[in-house]
Amino acid sequence: MSAYASTVINASADEVWEYLRDFGNLAEWLPGITGCEIEDGGDSRPGAVRRLEGPGGTFRERLLTLDDASRSATYGILESPLPVRDHRAFYRVAPVTDSGRAFVEWSATFEADDVAKMEEFVVGQVFAPGLASLHRRF
């Protein structure tokens, strides 16, 4: 299954991407994340692994791709207290050409025993608060 959320932020795509491309800064802007540490591979290079402290325990995620040209990245969960499997997430920042603002989209695919419940959780408890936090930041 998949989860998706998007928003328009009152800053340029380049400015928002410069902030979001940092794989190690999630605790600065995602509500509920109390710690984020790069364990292996450097901050923003594919292969980097971050350890997150958040609701329910510890998460470990690997950066799979980082593309400055398309202002996009993908990552996957390695370990999580959430009942998900085969998790892959994607985020992208694109310019809104008529306003100079940034369009941000965030999506994930995953398997879960209760897909509808996990989809609702990811969108409502991760994506929506994260995008709202980015609005406040910019």
Side-chain angles (χ1 to χ4, degrees), residues 31-52:
I33 300 300
T34 58
C36 180
E37 170 186 334
I38 299 296
E39 293 183 333
D40 187 28
D43 281 350
S44 296
R45 287 180 283 160
V49 174
R50 66 183 174 194
R51 177 188 168 113
L52 307 169

Side-chain angles (χ1 to χ4, degrees), residues 38-108:
I38 299 296
E39 293 183 333
D40 187 28
D43 281 350
S44 296
R45 287 180 283 160
V49 174
R50 66 183 174 194
R51 177 188 168 113
L52 307 169
E53 296 300 327
T58 300
F59 297 74
R60 291 180 68 241
E61 299 174 336
R62 181 182 310 275
L63 182 62
L64 302 172
T65 67
L66 182 81
D67 185 343
D68 286 322
S70 66
R71 296 182 203 87
S72 67
T74 58
Y75 64 93
I77 292 177
L78 300 174
E79 296 174 23
S80 166
L82 298 176
V84 296
R85 301 174 301 282
D86 300 322
H87 174 279
R88 295 289 178 266
F90 169 82
Y91 57 94
R92 180 176 74 100
V93 180
V96 177
T97 59
D98 69 348
S99 69
R101 296 187 302 166
F103 174 74
V104 179
E105 61 183 332
W106 196 359
S107 63

Side-chain angles (χ1 to χ4, degrees), residues 1 8 24-25 92 115 118 135:
M1 279 315 289
V8 175
N25 74 356
R92 180 176 74 100
V115 172
M118 282 311 304
H135 271 282

